[in-house]
Amino acid sequence: MRINKFLAKCNLGSRRAVEELVKNGEIAVNGNLCFDLTTQIDPENDEVEFKGKKILPKNEKIYLMLNKPKKYLVAHQDAFDRKTVYELLPDFDVHLFAVGRLDYMSEGLLLLTSDGDFANKIIHPRYKLPKVYKVLVKGNLDNEQLQKLRDGIVIEGKKTQPAIVFVKNRSQGKIQLRMTIFEGRKRQIRRMIGKIDGEVLELKRLQIADVKLGKLPTGMWRMLKPNEVLSLMNYKKKRD
């Protein structure tokens, strides 16, 4: 199998993420640093190392959802000693990584897994999995501004994919939106709102594809049900 697939099966990250490990010279194959993404790995005969330690594909795969609170960082550690989402989880004795982004001040549905192929399916732009958010915005946005969100906003020279935007409530110079986006750029919703002269006050992810946060309490986690994992893995196929 190709080296990126092998590394993903070793739970080092999604296929796209592990490609950076290869490019950065952090992977050795049979004692030699490997920089070639076309390298084929025979798990039975090749010895692969990451940071000097031999790695093997893991059989046990974990899929869970966390209701991320505000002021928790989606990272294993932080130079400023801020709390991280991993402090809310038990030690599973496998490397868990977050699927997609939720910034420090955002909250809601966060998926974590030890399955790199699963993560790649969720985050890769070509699959266009819908992600639903509740957004509280400072500023009484008008219909023209809202239509710009629906049509797409240019961020760093590239237009975002069209979004689904519903107004849920308007009150005292604030507007509550329900937004569905189909990609996951860094701080995407906050930047989109900023481009139309609004300011995001609260941002909560409610749903990814058919998997909903539901009534899971803030700061709590649960394992995904097998049908939820299959639903996410087969989402695009189901709609083709």
Side-chain angles (χ1 to χ4, degrees):
M1 70 180 75
R2 284 184 64 144
I3 191 167
N4 62 341
K5 183 175 182 180
F6 176 86
L7 295 174
K9 287 182 177 293
C10 293
N11 301 335
L12 293 184
S14 67
R15 291 193 197 182
R16 299 180 76 193
V18 298
E19 287 178 359
E20 294 302 313
L21 299 180
V22 177
K23 293 176 183 178
N24 293 336
E26 297 183 65
I27 303 298
V29 179
N30 299 325
N32 299 309
L33 290 180
C34 177
F35 298 91
D36 185 0
L37 293 173
T38 66
T39 300
Q40 295 290 322
I41 300 296
D42 180 353
E44 297 295 326
N45 297 306
D46 292 324
E47 184 172 287
V48 182
E49 295 179 337
F50 172 59
K51 295 184 177 179
K53 294 183 179 180
K54 184 177 179 179
I55 54 175
L56 294 169
K58 305 291 185 181
N59 293 323
E60 180 184 9
K61 295 179 180 178
I62 291 176
Y63 311 89
L64 64 84
M65 72 161 63
L66 170 72
N67 187 349
K68 176 193 173 298
K70 294 179 183 178
K71 297 185 179 180
Y72 274 78
L73 198 67
V74 183
H76 282 276
Q77 55 188 3
D78 178 53
F80 301 101
D81 202 29
R82 291 174 292 183
K83 292 179 289 188
T84 78
V85 294
Y86 293 94
E87 296 174 33
L88 302 170
L89 303 174
D91 184 1
F92 288 101
D93 198 31
V94 295
H95 180 71
L96 284 181
F97 49 92
V99 182
R101 301 181 173 100
L102 269 184
D103 65 45
Y104 184 63
M105 291 302 296
S106 296
E107 58 185 319
L109 175 59
L110 179 68
L111 300 180
L112 297 104
T113 186
S114 61
D115 184 348
D117 288 336
F118 173 80
N120 185 66
K121 178 74 179 186
I122 305 303
I123 65 177
H124 199 288
R126 74 170 176 264
Y127 296 116
K128 299 182 180 179
L129 266 68
K131 303 167 187 70
V132 183
Y133 297 81
K134 181 172 70 174
V135 191
L136 182 64
V137 179
K138 180 180 179 181
N140 198 10
L141 305 180
D142 59 28
N143 289 334
E144 183 178 349
Q145 290 169 302
L146 294 173
Q147 191 59 44
K148 289 180 180 179
L149 295 178
R150 297 183 180 110
D151 293 339
I153 299 287
V154 176
I155 298 176
E156 294 182 350
K158 184 179 179 181
K159 196 172 187 179
T160 61
Q161 295 179 15
I164 300 172
V165 182
F166 293 104
V167 176
K168 304 297 289 185
N169 187 37
R170 293 180 185 268
S171 177
Q172 299 178 337
K174 300 175 185 176
I175 183 171
Q176 184 173 302
L177 305 175
R178 184 180 177 94
M179 288 186 63
T180 303
I181 61 174
F182 299 87
E183 53 190 334
R185 300 198 216 174
K186 186 175 182 180
R187 298 174 63 85
Q188 179 174 334
I189 289 181
R190 294 184 186 275
R191 296 167 77 186
M192 289 174 70
I193 298 293
K195 287 281 188 176
I196 57 170
D197 300 322
E199 178 186 352
V200 173
L201 300 177
E202 296 180 5
L203 179 62
K204 183 174 185 177
R205 184 155 61 206
L206 304 175
Q207 183 174 341
I208 299 175
D210 293 328
V211 175
K212 299 179 181 180
L213 181 63
K215 297 181 179 180
L216 185 66
T218 300
M220 301 300 290
W221 65 275
R222 70 166 176 84
M223 292 293 185
L224 291 184
K225 300 172 184 176
N227 66 303
E228 291 175 321
V229 176
L230 288 174
S231 173
L232 289 166
M233 290 293 287
N234 297 325
Y235 187 83
K236 187 174 188 300
K237 183 185 298 183
K238 181 171 62 178
R239 284 155 175 75
D240 283 345

